């Protein structure tokens, strides 16, 4: 793909989607080298007889349409179905030390991996090996560990339900519950908070609920880039009169205006639909205070109405029959002063009262959020505050209303459902033991941050990555790279080369796997399907339609089965049989996990099936048997309050550009924010730039916290003037991950604080 390296510009798109999206789709399909194949492939994306898009986890509608893909889905499909190949010849021509200096884009742009490889320290290169050699070598290293707990088993949300179930079974049989996974870095706080509030760690809505909501409160998310198909549902809601209230420190184009590429009239007229009826810009970490302020307004107005003899604004019947703890929360809300709420939220009281008007003016309210909520120190408390607000008027368990955390990768929710959990419930472990006649470990394992700590300290000596790019996705990039390289064994299962592959342990294997769009045949040459779960708890099948990038590729399931058989044998589990017939895996899942009964039958129906959500049916699996209001106080200070008055000190949030998905960088443009041809930028308020005594577009170094004795610096970024609250700045990951400390995490979730990073700036010499 050729990249435009012309001078950067701040000319933002008029609207998200539209002709810009269509041009981008064409560009990426053309750049893949397989224009016709890519276009044909897209017609099967998110279709009942096709594959699940390897991008986001937004749900598919029951009624469907001819096209169920978006611009970023096109990028993901084109990126995977490229004609380029990263063969052993490529690695023979380049040392690992040389490749470490390549950018994310240039590295992955070499194309699909084709053969298993092992790292040769003498030559600093990867070389090809057979699958049998790789499995035997990995098994030897794992079995040489002093204890199974010395190994870390990472999972990306790209993995299917079948691959994840087989993976966790192998790892637990090996003897550990060390399951660091991508959920630890994004929505862990949602799962923890919702479990405490409503007894289910998932959202309570179906996609169809967006067709009936009167108000949708969108908190801390950017669907225009991260899950663009959501914009279609928000657009339709706005067009029928629903209010869409947005809380986001950054003004995101997709939440302001959206032109649907499938709307012929809108496209011909060059028009666009306004999405947000109200747009509020709290300071970073201020969402909980903003929601607390809405509740304060509601309680005050309710008291006035009831004093005047009018009906309560609250759903008193729902509260009495289904909840507990409201009195304590109400007392906490009423004790929180407006001065505290305004200062911490960064919003004025009249703005919060306007948001309360939206909430009170709706009979059916959906609250939806993403990492802008979850990647803070007080993220669990914020999720629970959101749940509190919806419980107040009974907006859980009825049509057109509910809680909707929007997951990132396409099956990150499904992986957790089928057992990728360092702290799985007892019933799940007991069910596995009964199904396979096993005795499995109960000790809590490592999440991502604990795994990093264990590798840094030398307590963990082996790392296996089922997809993903651990080095670049996690905080403290430089520290994590060194931690991996200090391991005795590293294994990376992947479709394309990335920077995690360039942090080899003493023994390192790179294992290439099939992509989501490719046909996966068993020994009888019959195509197989895998399954995934979206953000709305819909489980559906996914079957590739493209010829594999190389005949040597194996599926993730086959690779896991091969490692497992070589490491622990096949006496208890028929690894090879399950790798050859995924129906057998689904049969096991159906007997182990409630809700998956008749799995193989139901998943082959169009659109699959819905996993029962007890909270959506007003059944509360909490200790009290009721939905639980949280009476947590606001944080004494959030980061933007802590750094106020410190010279050249700000609170940073990291986010994606429009030309990337997670750590995969498709290009160097971010047209919704008006940045072209570069990624090393920091967005800041114009007045903050002026107060630093520098001009917009000046070059700076970004310096993170060193209070733990570790130096954190990301060098040479351009300061971009942008509409963002003063004291708050933003920039792209993974470029800014080196200044995100792995030692700072959400309370109760251990999620990295990637949206509340204290940094200082240092001007660079001209």
């Amino acid at each position: 793909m050729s990249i435009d390296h012309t001078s950067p510009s701040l000319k933002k798109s008029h609207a998200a989607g539209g002709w810009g999206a269509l041009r981008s789709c064409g560009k990426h399909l053309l750049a893949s080298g397989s224009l016709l194949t890519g276009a044909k492939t897209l017609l099967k994306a998110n279709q009942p007889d096709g594959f699940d898009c390897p991008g986001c986890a937004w749900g598919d509608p029951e009624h469907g349409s001819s096209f169920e893909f978006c611009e970023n889905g096109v990028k993901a499909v084109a990126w995977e179905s490229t004609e380029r190949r990263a063969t052993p010849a490529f690695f023979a021509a380049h040392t690992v030390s040389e490749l470490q200096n390549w950018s994310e884009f240039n590295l992955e742009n070499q194309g699909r991996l084709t053969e298993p490889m092992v790292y040769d320290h003498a030559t600093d290169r990867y070389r090809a090996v057979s699958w049998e050699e790789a499995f035997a070598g990995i098994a030897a290293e794992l079995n040489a560990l002093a204890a199974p707990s010395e190994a870390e088993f990472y999972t990306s949300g790209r993995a299917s339900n079948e691959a994840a179930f087989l993976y966790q079974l192998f790892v637990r049989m090996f003897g550990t519950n060390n399951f660091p996974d991508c959920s630890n870095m994004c929505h862990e706080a949602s799962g923890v908070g919702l479990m405490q509030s409503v007894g289910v760690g998932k959202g309570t809505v179906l996609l169809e609920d967006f067709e009936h909501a009167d108000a949708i409160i969108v908190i801390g998310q950017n669907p225009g880039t991260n899950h663009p198909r959501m914009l279609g549902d928000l657009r339709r809601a706005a067009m029928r009169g629903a209010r869409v209230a947005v809380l986001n420190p950054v003004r995101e184009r997709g939440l302001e205006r959206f032109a649907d590429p499938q709307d012929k009239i809108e496209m011909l007229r060059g028009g666009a639909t306004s999405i947000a009826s109200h747009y509020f810009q709290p300071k970073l970490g201020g969402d909980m205070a903003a929601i607390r302020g809405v509740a304060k307004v509601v309680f005050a107005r309710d008291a006035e109405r009831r004093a005047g003899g009018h009906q309560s604004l609250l759903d008193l019947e729902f509260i009495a029959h289904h909840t507990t703890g409201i009195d304590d929360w109400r007392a906490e809300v009423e004790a929180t002063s407006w001065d505290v709420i305004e200062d911490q939220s960064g919003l004025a009281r009249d703005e919060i009262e306007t948001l309360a008007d939206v909430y009170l003016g709706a009979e059916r309210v959906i609250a939806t959020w993403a990492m802008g909520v979850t990647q803070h120190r007080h993220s669990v408390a914020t999720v629970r505050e959101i749940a509190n607000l919806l419980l107040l008027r009974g907006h859980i368990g009825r049509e057109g209303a509910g809680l909707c955390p929007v997951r990132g990768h396409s099956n990150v929710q499904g992986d957790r459902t089928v057992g990728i959990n360092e702290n799985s419930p007892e019933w799940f472990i007991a069910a596995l033991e009964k199904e396979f006649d096993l005795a499995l470990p109960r000790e809590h394992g490592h999440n991502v941050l604990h795994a990093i700590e264990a590798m840094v300290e030398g307590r963990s000596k082996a790392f296996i990555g089922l997809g993903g790019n651990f080095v670049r996705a996690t905080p403290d990039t430089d520290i994590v790279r060194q931690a991996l390289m200090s391991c005795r064994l590293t294994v990376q299962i992947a479709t394309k080369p990335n920077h995690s592959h360039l942090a080899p342990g003493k023994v390192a294997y790179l294992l290439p796997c099939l992509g989501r769009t490719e046909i996966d045949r068993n020994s009888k040459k019959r195509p197989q399907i895998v399954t995934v779960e979206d953000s709305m708890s819909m489980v559906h099948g996914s079957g590739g339609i493209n010829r594999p990038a190389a005949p040597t590729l194996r599926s993730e399931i086959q690779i896991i089965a091969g490692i497992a058989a070589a490491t622990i044998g096949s006496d208890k589990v028929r690894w090879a049989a399950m790798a050859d017939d995924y129906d057998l895996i689904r049969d096991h899942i159906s007997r182990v996990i409630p809700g998956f009964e008749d799995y193989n039958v139901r998943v082959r129906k169009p659109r699959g099936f819905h996993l029962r959500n007890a909270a959506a049916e007003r059944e509360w699996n909490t200790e009290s048997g009721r939905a639980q209001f949280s009476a947590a106080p606001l944080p004494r200070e959030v980061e933007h309050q802590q750094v106020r008055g410190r010279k050249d000190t700000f609170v940073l949030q990291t986010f994606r550009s429009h030309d990337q998905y997670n750590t995969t960088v498709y290009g160097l443009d971010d047209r919704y924010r008006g940045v072209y041809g570069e990624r090393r930028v920091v967005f800041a308020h114009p007045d903050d730039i002026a107060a630093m005594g520098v001009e917009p577009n000046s070059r700076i170094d970004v310096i993170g916290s060193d209070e733990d004795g570790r130096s954190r610096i990301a060098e040479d970024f351009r300061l971009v003037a942008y509409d963002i609250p003063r004291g708050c700045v933003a920039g792209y990951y993974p470029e800014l991950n080196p200044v995100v400390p792995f030692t700072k995490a959400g309370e109760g979730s251990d999620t990295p604080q990637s949206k509340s990073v204290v940094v200082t700036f240092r001007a660079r010499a001209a």
Side-chain angles (χ1 to χ4, degrees), residues 422-452:
E422 77 280 0
N423 183 23
S424 283
E426 171 60 27
W427 69 261
F428 179 79
I429 303 297
L432 279 177
E433 290 180 325
K434 179 181 179 182
E435 177 70 10
F436 294 99
D437 188 24
L438 302 170
L440 299 176
R442 259 54 175 195
E443 297 82 7
H444 292 183
H446 294 159
N447 58 29
V448 164
L449 297 188
H450 293 157
I452 294 172

Side-chain angles (χ1 to χ4, degrees), residues 121-140:
H121 277 270
T123 63
D124 192 27
R125 288 174 169 84
Y126 279 101
R127 60 175 176 81
V129 293
S130 69
W131 282 107
E132 291 70 25
E133 287 178 280
F135 294 153
I138 294 166

Side-chain angles (χ1 to χ4, degrees), residues 262-319:
Q262 296 189 41
D263 188 319
K264 299 179 181 64
I265 295 176
E266 191 166 68
M267 292 294 288
L268 288 172
R269 291 178 176 174
T273 300
S274 294
I275 299 294
S277 58
H278 302 81
Y279 207 118
F280 307 99
Q281 292 180 264
K283 292 195 173 186
L284 289 168
D287 295 310
M288 183 180 179
I291 300 300
R292 174 67 52 90
V294 173
K296 192 172 183 70
V297 173
V298 173
F299 281 133
R301 292 184 185 176
D302 177 65
E304 292 173 5
R305 284 180 60 87
R306 295 174 72 175
H310 299 290
Q311 183 178 351
S312 174
L313 291 172
L314 314 184
D315 189 334
L316 298 179
E317 182 178 359
F318 173 84
I319 291 170

Side-chain angles (χ1 to χ4, degrees), residues 623-638:
E623 289 186 8
S624 65
R626 292 169 174 253
Q628 177 68 56
F629 282 96
S630 167
L634 291 183
R636 188 176 64 83
E637 283 185 321
V638 296

Side-chain angles (χ1 to χ4, degrees), residues 159-225:
S160 65
N161 287 341
E162 293 77 12
F165 182 80
L166 214 63
Y167 194 51
Q168 63 83 31
L169 177 62
F170 156 55
V171 173
R172 289 191 162 97
M173 290 179 66
F174 178 65
T176 183
N177 289 313
N178 285 351
F179 287 113
D181 83 292
C182 61
S183 181
N184 300 148
M185 293 185 283
C186 54
H187 266 291
E188 195 69 46
S190 296
V192 173
L194 293 178
M195 279 294 296
Q196 294 172 358
S197 290
V198 300
V200 177
K202 306 179 184 180
T204 64
V205 303
L206 293 171
L207 189 60
E208 286 68 28
D209 284 314
F210 282 79
E211 299 173 4
H212 304 285
D214 301 311
I216 303 169
I217 304 175
V218 182
I219 313 170
Q221 66 184 118
N222 176 21
T225 289

Side-chain angles (χ1 to χ4, degrees), residues 17-68:
W19 291 108
L22 292 181
R23 284 191 295 271
S24 176
C25 290
K27 180 182 76 172
H28 285 274
L29 285 172
L30 187 63
S32 72
S34 54
L35 177 61
L36 294 179
T37 300
K40 179 182 176 182
T41 303
L42 286 168
L43 295 178
K44 292 294 184 181
N46 301 314
Q47 297 297 323
D49 59 344
F51 63 92
D52 187 73
C53 177
C56 77
W58 189 246
D60 302 328
E62 284 286 338
H63 40 75
S65 75
S66 300
F67 305 104
E68 287 298 341

